[in-house]
Amino acid sequence: MTPIATYELPLPPGINQSYQPVMRTGKTGFISKPEHKQFKRDAVILLANQQQLLKKNEQEAYQRIIKAIQLNGWFLYLEVFFYLEDILSRDEDGGLKVVQDVVCKHLGIDDKYVMDAHIGKRPANGKQRCEISVYLWQEKAG
């Protein structure tokens, strides 16, 4: 299966560094911490820069696919790998939501159209990062 888009981002903040509990009208809610907001701002710029590196024909094909997804309401499948110096330093799912949010926003697609996501951790070997591949979701005949 060929991805419709691939991206590389720095490691997002973990869940504990992303949200802060707050009391509102007697109920506990959550607000984004500064680290979370900064990651999202940086990711927007990095994703735009990565898209600009595509050749003209690749950009045109990419735009056609994204427009078709938006028009047809097709679902997406994400693969997200966190490359860490210390594999045990964090949970694998702690950064998924923020990564999914920024990638879907970049694509112009509501993240409710993400049907499935695979997340994993890998050794960084000197370069901590997050790698994301976006696919059209395909239900297996069964």
Side-chain angles (χ1 to χ4, degrees), residues 26-37:
K27 295 182 182 178
T28 302
F30 294 91
I31 60 170
S32 297
K33 288 184 176 181
E35 297 92 334
H36 179 91
K37 292 176 183 178

Side-chain angles (χ1 to χ4, degrees), residues 7-105:
Y7 303 105
E8 183 178 305
L9 293 172
L11 287 178
I15 198 78
N16 294 332
Q17 293 79 36
S18 291
Y19 301 103
Q20 177 177 335
V22 294
M23 290 296 285
R24 292 186 187 169
T25 61
K27 295 182 182 178
T28 302
F30 294 91
I31 60 170
S32 297
K33 288 184 176 181
E35 297 92 334
H36 179 91
K37 292 176 183 178
Q38 186 63 53
F39 174 82
K40 287 176 98 170
R41 283 191 297 270
D42 292 346
V44 166
I45 294 167
L46 291 167
L47 292 170
N49 287 345
Q50 289 175 47
Q51 185 174 340
Q52 288 180 352
L53 294 175
L54 296 174
K55 296 175 185 166
K56 184 178 180 185
N57 63 330
E58 292 172 329
Q59 283 191 14
E60 290 169 353
Y62 170 84
Q63 290 301 327
R64 282 193 305 274
I65 291 169
I66 297 304
K67 183 167 278 222
I69 291 168
Q70 292 166 336
L71 290 172
N72 295 300
W74 292 339
F75 293 102
L76 301 178
Y77 166 73
L78 301 180
E79 280 187 348
V80 181
F81 290 103
F82 298 104
Y83 289 80
L84 308 165
E85 287 303 326
D86 178 4
I87 294 294
L88 300 177
S89 65
R90 64 188 286 170
D91 294 341
E92 67 181 9
D93 60 350
L96 177 62
K97 180 63 176 151
V98 68
V99 168
Q100 179 175 305
D101 286 349
V102 297
V103 168
C104 286
K105 182 176 181 177

